[in-house]
């Protein structure tokens, strides 16, 4: 339950989804069953507005797969049909056969799958289109969580959707109707001069409590 909750939080902030599908016999069929996780994750990504997807068909090295082109095609066809059913356009989605364990097709072409002419996983990610960032609009930052950190104070955390957040500016919180000065902005435990649309950031505020923002 916690996993799905965390997955929803992360997916709702994502620009791209990497759907990892287990190609091994039995595991793939389980994932694509009525309540399977592969179907669930794909549907969540689409429902939460993730427009771009890279499908990774993993465990091609498994004893039940042995880098088989026919198994790749079988998995690809079934996943593509489901993605089309929920609203994606499979023709625009790369389906990359890999072995995470052996490193096949991760960053370099695999010698075990000469039949595959598509991109490596790294190339597929590099080919993703970056969304337009609305930096010129007013700041909008949906708050994901609020922390009380000793020596720093109240720290709301979330993803910048539009505008820019910088230390020294005044932020307005809705629906509570409070305003507070932004003391500092942090990303990945480092202070930064600003956070832009698409960035996950934490920012400390003066004279406002965690309870005020809950």
């Amino acid at each position: 339950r916690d996993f799905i909750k965390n997955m929803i939080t992360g997916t709702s902030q994502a620009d791209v989804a990497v759907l990892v599908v287990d190609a091994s016999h039995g595991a793939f069929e389980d994932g694509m069953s009525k309540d399977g996780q592969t179907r669930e994750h794909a549907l969540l990504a689409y429902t939460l507005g993730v427009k771009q997807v890279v499908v990774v068909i993993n465990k091609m090295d498994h004893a039940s797969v042995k880098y088989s082109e026919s198994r790749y095609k079988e998995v690809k066809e079934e996943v593509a049909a489901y993605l089309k059913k929920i609203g994606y356009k499979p023709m625009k989605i790369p389906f990359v056969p890999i072995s995470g364990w052996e490193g096949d097709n991760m960053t370099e072409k695999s010698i075990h799958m000469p039949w595959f002419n598509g991109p490596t996983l790294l190339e597929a990610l590099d080919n993703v289109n970056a969304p337009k960032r609305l930096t010129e609009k007013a700041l909008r930052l949906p708050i994901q969580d609020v922390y009380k950190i000793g020596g720093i104070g109240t720290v709301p955390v979330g993803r910048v959707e539009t505008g820019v957040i910088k230390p020294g500016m005044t932020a307005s919180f809705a629906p509570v109707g409070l305003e507070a000065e932004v003391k500092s902005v942090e990303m990945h435990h480092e202070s930064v001069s600003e956070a832009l649309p698409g960035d996950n950031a934490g920012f400390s505020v003066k004279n406002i409590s965690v309870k005020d923002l809950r």
Side-chain angles (χ1 to χ4, degrees), residues 11-209:
T11 308
S12 68
Q13 300 176 346
D15 295 320
V16 184
V18 177
L19 183 65
V20 181
V21 182
D22 188 332
S24 63
H25 283 271
F28 169 68
E29 287 73 15
D30 286 346
M32 289 300 291
S33 63
K34 184 169 176 284
D35 297 316
Q37 277 202 342
T38 305
R39 288 165 67 110
E40 188 173 44
H41 291 174
L43 183 57
L44 276 171
Y46 187 80
T47 305
L48 293 166
V50 181
K51 297 287 187 287
Q52 297 185 82
V53 178
V54 174
V55 176
V56 173
I57 299 175
N58 191 24
K59 298 192 181 178
M60 292 298 293
D61 61 305
H62 193 270
S64 67
V65 182
K66 295 178 180 173
Y67 300 105
S68 159
E69 183 180 9
S70 62
R71 179 61 170 174
Y72 164 77
K73 286 180 175 176
E74 179 189 354
V75 170
K76 179 184 174 181
E77 281 174 21
E78 194 167 334
V79 174
Y82 182 71
L83 291 175
K84 185 176 181 181
K85 182 180 170 185
I86 60 178
Y88 284 113
K89 293 177 179 172
M91 292 295 288
K92 295 185 176 181
I93 296 174
F95 289 78
V96 186
I98 71 159
S99 164
W101 182 257
E102 298 290 347
D104 293 282
N105 274 351
M106 298 279 282
T107 59
E108 295 177 3
K109 299 278 187 192
S110 168
I111 57 169
H112 299 113
M113 291 178 276
W115 44 263
F116 180 69
N117 296 319
T120 63
L121 174 55
L122 187 61
E123 287 167 346
L125 292 173
D126 280 342
N127 290 338
V128 164
N129 297 319
K132 187 174 185 297
R133 303 300 193 192
L134 303 172
T135 51
E136 72 287 351
K137 291 193 176 289
L139 174 65
R140 188 163 63 87
L141 192 158
I143 293 173
Q144 176 190 327
D145 220 332
V146 187
Y147 300 99
K148 179 78 174 174
I149 300 176
I152 296 174
T154 304
V155 181
V157 175
R159 180 172 119 144
V160 182
E161 294 295 336
T162 62
V164 180
I165 186 167
K166 299 178 179 181
M169 70 187 291
T170 300
S172 300
F173 295 89
V176 292
L178 295 171
E179 289 192 347
E181 184 188 334
V182 176
K183 290 194 291 183
S184 63
V185 179
E186 280 203 3
M187 288 195 297
H188 312 297
H189 308 292
E190 287 184 12
S191 286
V192 292
S193 60
E194 62 180 20
L196 304 172
D199 290 337
N200 287 297
F203 58 101
S204 61
V205 287
K206 287 181 177 177
N207 305 324
I208 206 162
S209 72

